[in-house]
Amino acid sequence: MTELRQRAVREPDAPSEDKELESEAKVDGETASDSESRAEAAPLSTSADDTPEVLNRALSNLSSRWKNWWVRGILTLAMIAFFFIIIYLGPMVLMIIVMCVQIKCFHEIITIGYNVYHSYDLPWFRTLSWYFLLCVNYFFYGETVTDYFFTLVQREEPLRILSKYHRFISFTLYLIGFCMFVLSLVKKHYRLQFYMFGWTHVTLLIVVTQSHLVIHNLFEGMIWFIVPISCVICNDIMAYMFGFFFGRTPLIKLSPKKTWEGFIGGFFATVVFGLLLSYVMSGYRCFVCPVEYNNDTNSFTVDCEPSDLFRLQEYNIPEVIQSVIGLVCAAHVGQATPG
């Protein structure tokens, strides 16, 4: 009887306990049932073949392994040709492309944060993110323009004023953005808002700073842009080729198709390719000379006397290394000589 009474007393409290469990199961404003229904409504993702129809017809008689080989090869040659065209168009076009890539990368990363942020109906996140991107680009590239095109800046009165107070204007713009962020704070969501504020700043640090340094290298000479990117392309191609023909040993579980043979072969091929490409490009002024502004023609020029860095130099091997090499050679000759 006492057990039945205790059970009857506990039963009215059951709904309240269910409500507590339901409130704890809410994630980002959603209940577990909502998330389950959304998961059921979501269609199953199916892998689609993006290979052009022309290539599918031409390679229909090949096995899937060799078909993949030819598709990768043809598309790689097409992208390399497009890369050569961009290089031919000059450093200014490369800078514009780097800026476009920067904006696209920033958009992709910020969109991830916005999908979380928007679920709480909190204001101004995307607006403030793009505003801070504008402020940071204004600061970085304003400094670059002032340094590399000082003569042009001093000749134009508006540019001279902007150059004189550039850092003050940049600091003022950032303060305006910070005040807008403070005004957008909503009670009970301070932690999330400061989290997303940090998300934006880390994204700016990674994306904008990196692209600014790339453009800074372009101003110093196209060789500092072309060689690193070409080495990355070469490593990707040669690692695939060595892995395709000689790959036997898996490299990591995260990517089962990667092999040690492809990794090692790609490494040595990239080292050789980098040395050869650097040697060839060092002989052309259009690649090693910095971008400068010509006051007489009012245009950008790439012409200079190459520095000693891009000329072949004779170096003497230190005596310690010479003695070690001599001992090794003498020992090798002694072992090779019979009796």
Side-chain angles (χ1 to χ4, degrees):
M1 292 293 292
T2 55
E3 291 179 359
L4 292 175
R5 289 178 182 178
Q6 290 176 357
R7 186 176 301 175
V9 170
R10 283 199 299 265
E11 285 179 355
D13 295 334
S16 61
E17 292 177 0
D18 294 338
K19 291 181 179 179
E20 291 178 0
L21 293 174
E22 183 179 357
S23 62
E24 291 176 357
K26 290 184 178 180
V27 177
D28 294 342
E30 296 181 351
T31 61
S33 59
D34 292 335
S35 59
E36 290 176 359
S37 61
R38 182 175 297 181
E40 293 175 357
L44 295 176
S45 59
T46 57
S47 59
D49 187 7
D50 296 332
T51 307
E53 187 63 27
V54 177
L55 292 179
N56 280 329
R57 292 178 181 177
L59 305 174
S60 58
N61 296 328
L62 298 177
S63 63
S64 60
R65 184 169 182 264
W66 282 101
K67 179 182 177 181
N68 184 43
W69 160 264
W70 280 104
V71 170
R72 283 174 176 260
I74 294 171
L75 296 180
T76 298
L77 293 176
M79 288 188 288
I80 291 175
F82 180 68
F83 183 61
F84 283 149
I85 294 173
I86 295 174
I87 294 173
Y88 176 77
L89 294 176
M92 300 308 298
V93 176
L94 284 173
M95 294 177 190
I96 295 174
I97 292 176
V98 171
M99 285 288 297
C100 294
V101 173
Q102 175 213 107
I103 294 173
K104 182 60 178 176
C105 291
F106 183 82
H107 173 263
E108 291 293 332
I109 300 175
I110 287 300
T111 300
I112 298 174
Y114 179 72
N115 291 334
V116 177
Y117 200 61
H118 184 67
S119 62
Y120 288 90
D121 294 326
L122 299 177
W124 296 3
F125 172 63
R126 281 198 299 190
T127 303
L128 286 174
S129 298
W130 289 105
Y131 176 81
F132 282 123
L133 176 66
L134 179 64
C135 293
V136 173
N137 277 320
Y138 174 80
F139 171 74
F140 277 125
Y141 296 110
E143 296 277 340
T144 302
V145 170
T146 303
D147 293 339
Y148 286 94
F149 310 116
F150 181 78
T151 305
L152 175 63
V153 170
Q154 294 300 317
R155 193 176 61 184
E156 302 292 338
E157 181 65 22
L159 294 178
R160 185 164 63 249
I161 295 174
L162 291 175
S163 174
K164 184 178 181 180
Y165 301 103
H166 172 69
R167 296 188 178 181
F168 175 76
I169 295 173
S170 301
F171 182 68
T172 303
L173 291 174
Y174 181 82
L175 284 182
I176 293 173
F178 185 79
C179 292
M180 293 171 62
F181 167 72
V182 173
L183 293 175
S184 68
L185 292 175
V186 179
K187 289 184 177 180
K188 298 182 180 180
H189 297 297
Y190 292 154
R191 181 178 179 181
L192 176 66
Q193 288 183 286
F194 276 99
Y195 168 77
M196 298 312 303
F197 186 72
W199 178 286
T200 300
H201 281 67
V202 171
T203 304
L204 291 171
L205 179 64
I206 295 174
V207 176
V208 180
T209 304
Q210 185 176 185
S211 64
H212 170 70
L213 294 177
V214 170
I215 292 180
H216 191 276
N217 287 339
L218 276 171
F219 275 110
E220 294 295 332
M222 293 181 64
I223 190 173
W224 303 110
F225 175 83
I226 296 174
V227 171
I229 290 184
S230 299
C231 287
V232 173
I233 296 172
C234 174
N235 181 265
D236 188 56
I237 294 174
M238 298 309 296
Y240 176 75
M241 292 183 65
F242 276 94
F244 184 86
F245 289 106
F246 308 108
R248 295 294 182 272
T249 310
L251 180 62
I252 53 176
K253 294 182 179 180
L254 182 63
S255 183
K257 294 184 179 181
K258 296 275 191 306
T259 61
W260 277 104
E261 292 80 4
F263 174 76
I264 297 173
F267 171 76
F268 286 104
T270 303
V271 172
V272 175
F273 173 80
L275 293 174
L276 294 176
L277 182 63
S278 301
Y279 173 75
V280 172
M281 295 184 66
S282 297
Y284 296 90
R285 295 186 178 184
C286 60
F287 293 129
V288 301
C289 292
V291 180
E292 296 179 348
Y293 182 78
N294 193 327
N295 294 321
D296 299 330
T297 60
N298 290 328
S299 61
F300 297 101
T301 59
V302 183
D303 189 18
C304 67
E305 188 65 27
S307 64
D308 294 337
L309 180 65
F310 301 106
R311 296 176 181 175
L312 294 177
Q313 304 289 335
E314 291 185 0
Y315 295 95
N316 295 323
I317 300 176
E319 295 181 359
V320 177
I321 299 179
Q322 290 183 13
S323 61
V324 172
I325 294 176
L327 293 174
V328 173
C329 292
H332 180 72
V333 172
Q335 292 177 358
T337 302

